Amino acid sequence: LLGAHGYCTQELVNLVATGRARSNVFDGERSLDGLRMVGTDGPCPVGLLSLFEHYGHTAVGRYLKEPTAPVWVAFMESHYTVLFQKSGTLGGPFDLYYYDMLANQEEVIRLTVDPAREARAYRDDDLVPPLEDTLHTRWPGAHVGWNGTEPLL
């Protein structure tokens, strides 16, 4: 379950999130030239969001995007981080807390996601925080507020 250089594989992430070490992040089963591929087969206690879905390289299924607990492993470019909600519901504006151990994070990063409010408009030459792109794979078009924290680029 560890890949090259001791990196975590998708199978290990899925084992933590779903209790099953599967290679795929889609819902249900798919067939590719007669090869049966198995994804997530039901609601998961922990979710997964991936920046690579924003780039169009993968499609995370609803079971992983909508876990039974408001906790998500987030795959951000080169490593995994975590997002979680302390309390409340995910309906209106809600807060998510972000933690990235590799960034030597010393401060609390609290993001406010507002699905009813339009996302910040960026120009083509602006640097867009990858975390916002990742969150938009779950909450498309939602406004992400950084609450005084400098956006992570």
Side-chain angles (χ1 to χ4, degrees):
L1 296 177
L2 293 178
H5 311 291
Y7 289 178
C8 180
T9 64
Q10 188 62 55
E11 293 84 359
L12 182 55
V13 173
N14 285 352
L15 179 62
V16 170
T18 71
R20 297 175 190 257
R22 294 185 172 158
S23 300
N24 303 300
V25 296
F26 54 77
D27 292 342
E29 295 182 8
R30 295 185 182 171
S31 179
L32 180 64
D33 295 328
L35 176 65
R36 180 177 160 254
M37 299 186 304
V38 179
T40 307
D41 58 2
C44 306
V46 175
L48 173 73
L49 300 175
S50 175
L51 179 61
F52 290 97
E53 182 170 16
H54 166 75
Y55 295 142
H57 298 297
T58 191
V60 177
R62 283 279 160 217
Y63 291 139
L64 284 166
K65 284 186 182 178
E66 299 173 2
T68 57
V71 178
W72 293 266
V73 172
F75 187 45
M76 306 290 300
E77 294 178 324
S78 64
H79 65 284
Y80 293 96
T81 61
V82 68
L83 290 153
F84 60 95
Q85 182 185 33
K86 287 185 178 181
S87 63
T89 64
L90 298 174
F94 57 90
D95 290 338
L96 291 177
Y97 292 83
Y98 176 74
Y99 184 70
D100 182 349
M101 187 178 102
L102 289 182
N104 294 321
Q105 181 179 329
E106 295 180 12
E107 63 192 40
V108 172
I109 298 177
R110 179 179 57 91
L111 305 167
T112 300
V113 178
D114 188 348
R117 192 169 154 206
E118 192 170 319
R120 183 175 304 122
Y122 289 101
R123 296 185 316 257
D124 289 342
D125 59 342
D126 285 343
L127 294 174
V128 179
L131 182 54
E132 287 187 31
D133 287 336
T134 303
L135 289 170
H136 287 146
T137 65
R138 169 61 178 88
W139 295 280
H143 182 269
V144 177
W146 288 82
N147 299 306
T149 300
E150 187 69 30
L152 303 172
L153 298 172

